[in-house]
Amino acid sequence: MPITIFPKLPSYEGPPQSKKHKQNNSQVILPGEVIFTSGSSLITGHGTYKTASNLNEPTNAELMDTEEFNNQVAKTLCESSMHASLAGRIRTVNKLVYVEPLKARYSGNVGDTIVGRIVGVEQRRWLVDVNSYQHGILQLANVKLPGGELRRKSEDDERAMRSFMKEGDLIVAEVHDVYRDGSLQLHMPGVRTGRLGEGCFASVAPSSIKKQKLHRHQLNVPKGCGSNSNCSDDLIPHVSVGLILGCNGYVWIGPARGMALGTGTGASLLSLDSESMSKSDLFNEYLSIARVRNCVLALASSGVPVWELSVLASCEASWIEEKHLLSEPDSVISSPEYGVVSLLSRPDVRDRIMDLVKQKLGL
């Protein structure tokens, strides 16, 4: 296999982020900032507090336990503003307001779709790395057998656990229960879960993933402009890429044929479906997977929520920026394929792409 060494990209140190730009970002709030000016009907949660600055202290110690003073305290706290004590994103559940830290580990909620990696095989269960404080537990009884067969698990199935899933395999599952010690119990219901095939793995902060009803997407990503010299704005070739956004911050990007998880065995990049594909089509598929992976990491590092529309918008913006760079006579990208993979690694290009994404999404 020939090996090509490309020239090193010039180092670039972007301008420091101004305080004005940081304050305009409504996605992240800093400690001490005002969340709500009047929180009369809101409940303070984790990372929030209310100040009672207008409270008049009683002059006599005997008045501390009076009903009038207690009513004054309750009224002042209801009318006071709500502040944040942590740096993170604001979350609301009915009237409860709390702040989700940026760098916190995944705590787990029942029904969340997660992407995990098998780290151990024990008696009638697997240990799964779910980016939490403890390993998740996947019982043998909560796993569907190959072929979708539904029956009671026997001792033969227990001895064949490593043939189903072994250490290092990536899986997509759902949170079935959360124990008191914080560990998660997982299960694989239906055809939406199973063992993932070959693809690309990325890890971001759990707070960067926007929770939605569906976390499994099939994206039509623009093909690299450098790989097709006849590309134009009117007719843009696309490549189908599968994307699974785990609520725990783990992301799987792979071929669209790897999304068929009904058998629980996943799909390989070198499966029978790919034998009919030409080398150029496989190469374009690899480049599209790399493009989606770079876009996900760029969105997370820029503080933009990662979800289906933001990933599609960043892929389109990167395609436009790539075409603009390739049209320059003194472009630093010596090879079109090199520009597809490493375009978002340049801080100046990444900032321009993220500005286009924020403008399109109205952030």
Side-chain angles (χ1 to χ4, degrees):
M1 179 178 178
I3 300 177
T4 305
I5 300 177
F6 298 101
K8 182 180 178 181
L9 287 175
S11 59
Y12 174 81
E13 296 182 359
Q17 190 177 17
S18 62
K19 186 176 181 181
K20 181 179 179 181
H21 176 72
K22 196 170 185 179
Q23 291 179 352
N24 292 335
N25 188 3
S26 60
Q27 300 296 330
V28 178
I29 193 168
L30 300 178
E33 291 189 8
V34 178
I35 303 177
F36 295 101
T37 56
S38 178
S40 58
S41 60
L42 300 177
I43 304 174
T44 57
H46 178 69
T48 60
Y49 66 95
K50 291 183 179 180
T51 57
S53 57
N54 298 328
L55 182 62
N56 297 323
E57 297 183 359
T59 56
N60 192 353
E62 297 179 355
L63 298 179
M64 291 292 294
D65 298 332
T66 60
E67 184 178 357
E68 181 180 358
F69 179 73
N70 294 333
N71 294 336
Q72 182 183 359
V73 172
K75 182 178 179 180
T76 306
L77 289 177
C78 290
E79 296 177 354
S80 60
S81 58
M82 183 181 297
H83 299 260
S85 60
L86 295 175
R89 291 181 172 85
I90 303 175
R91 306 297 186 196
T92 58
V93 179
N94 295 332
K95 293 185 178 181
L96 176 65
V97 181
Y98 65 96
V99 177
E100 184 179 10
L102 295 176
K103 298 297 183 180
R105 285 185 172 269
Y106 178 65
S107 57
N109 295 313
V110 177
D112 286 352
T113 300
I114 60 99
V115 175
R117 186 182 295 275
I118 302 295
V119 295
V121 181
E122 297 183 353
Q123 184 178 5
R124 301 188 67 86
R125 69 175 187 176
W126 289 271
L127 296 181
V128 187
D129 177 20
V130 293
N131 196 20
S132 182
Y133 296 99
Q134 300 185 30
H135 291 316
I137 299 174
L138 179 61
Q139 298 288 345
L140 177 62
N142 297 333
V143 176
K144 57 180 180 291
L145 298 175
E149 184 180 0
L150 297 177
R151 59 177 175 81
R152 188 173 182 178
K153 308 300 187 298
S154 61
E155 294 182 358
D156 296 336
D157 297 328
E158 184 177 354
R159 286 191 291 267
M161 286 178 59
R162 291 187 183 274
S163 63
F164 302 151
M165 290 178 292
K166 59 181 182 299
E167 291 86 348
D169 290 344
L170 282 176
I171 64 170
V172 53
E174 293 183 0
V175 179
H176 183 64
D177 194 7
V178 181
Y179 296 127
R180 290 186 176 181
D181 59 351
S183 59
L184 307 179
Q185 182 181 359
L186 310 177
H187 69 148
M188 292 183 175
V191 297
R192 305 184 306 273
T193 57
R195 183 169 65 90
L196 295 171
E198 297 178 3
C200 185
F201 174 79
S203 177
V204 298
S207 59
S208 301
I209 304 296
K210 183 178 180 180
K211 292 187 178 181
Q212 295 179 289
K213 187 176 181 180
L214 296 177
H215 286 261
R216 300 172 65 253
H217 308 287
Q218 187 171 343
L219 309 179
N220 290 326
V221 181
K223 188 183 296 184
C225 184
S227 60
N228 188 2
S229 59
N230 298 325
C231 65
S232 60
D233 296 337
D234 299 332
L235 183 60
I236 303 176
H238 290 78
V239 178
S240 183
V241 176
L243 174 66
I244 299 180
L245 300 172
C247 296
N248 58 337
Y250 288 166
V251 181
W252 179 85
I253 308 107
R257 57 183 178 274
M259 302 292 290
L261 303 175
T263 59
T265 57
S268 173
L269 289 174
L270 302 177
S271 60
L272 296 177
D273 296 338
S274 63
E275 292 181 357
S276 59
M277 301 175 61
S278 61
K279 292 184 178 180
S280 61
D281 293 338
L282 284 176
F283 183 71
N284 290 327
E285 188 177 54
Y286 296 157
L287 294 182
S288 300
I289 293 174
R291 181 191 294 275
V292 175
R293 184 252 183 194
N294 290 341
C295 289
V296 170
L297 296 180
L299 289 171
S301 62
S302 301
V304 181
V306 181
W307 55 308
E308 180 186 7
L309 293 182
S310 63
V311 175
L312 283 175
S314 59
C315 290
E316 294 177 0
S318 65
W319 186 88
I320 296 174
E321 185 67 22
E322 176 192 350
K323 183 179 179 181
H324 174 70
L325 289 178
L326 290 175
S327 62
E328 296 180 356
D330 54 347
S331 177
V332 296
I333 304 178
S334 59
S335 174
E337 292 80 7
Y338 180 56
V340 173
V341 177
S342 61
L343 182 65
L344 291 179
S345 61
R346 294 177 52 186
D348 55 340
V349 177
R350 182 189 61 190
D351 294 341
R352 290 198 298 267
I353 292 175
M354 290 300 105
D355 291 339
L356 293 176
V357 172
K358 293 178 182 179
Q359 183 179 2
K360 184 174 183 179
L361 298 179
L363 298 178

